[in-house]
Amino acid sequence: QVQLVESGGGLVQAGGSLRLSCSASGIIYSINSMAWYRQAAGKQRELVADINSGGSTNYKDSVKGRFTISRDNAKNVGYLQMNSLKAEDTAVYYCSSDIRETAWSAVRRSWGQGTQVTVSS
């Protein structure tokens, strides 16, 4: 069974930076896309950024130029570097990965437990 564990969240002042990590463990043959979502209090979960196996990235408009998603395929780890943080970035951040456990199994999406990011203004 695949597990995703996020780390790196916390409290930061507006304008500051945080780096989130998402480590995948378990039986993993390959990881297709990796993504970061966030959910602010009282709001729906939204996609922040994603990256496919070839390294192509996609960002929510409001984070373009401030956030950078990356991955280390050898270590099965994804990252979200967040710079110039704003109060509106405050949310619980979740990582997700589309993982194939064996060469012949279907791709399944796994989710982490979430990590809180709070930006004080």
Side-chain angles (χ1 to χ4, degrees):
Q1 188 172 354
V2 174
Q3 282 192 320
L4 299 182
V5 178
E6 300 109 333
S7 61
L11 174 64
V12 64
Q13 288 189 329
S17 298
L18 284 173
R19 188 192 196 204
L20 305 183
S21 298
C22 175
S23 179
S25 63
I27 300 174
I28 298 172
Y29 174 76
S30 65
I31 299 178
N32 292 0
S33 63
M34 302 183 79
W36 289 93
Y37 289 76
R38 68 186 181 189
Q39 186 167 19
K43 296 187 178 181
Q44 290 188 330
R45 189 173 299 189
E46 60 182 8
L47 176 66
V48 176
D50 59 33
I51 181 169
N52 67 16
S53 57
S56 295
T57 59
N58 176 57
Y59 294 94
K60 177 181 174 61
D61 285 346
S62 63
V63 308
K64 285 180 181 178
R66 300 188 297 121
F67 290 11
T68 302
I69 189 171
S70 61
R71 58 191 287 175
D72 184 332
N73 292 328
K75 297 180 179 179
N76 291 332
V77 178
Y79 304 98
L80 184 68
Q81 177 67 44
M82 305 185 294
N83 299 329
S84 302
L85 282 161
K86 305 176 181 179
E88 51 263 43
D89 295 318
T90 295
V92 177
Y93 284 71
Y94 299 89
C95 70
S96 74
S97 294
D98 293 339
I99 296 173
R100 192 186 302 274
E101 294 185 8
T102 67
W104 54 87
S105 61
V107 174
R108 297 175 61 182
R109 176 159 295 181
S110 295
W111 290 88
Q113 81 287 352
T115 185
Q116 177 70 46
V117 171
T118 303
V119 184
S120 62
S121 56

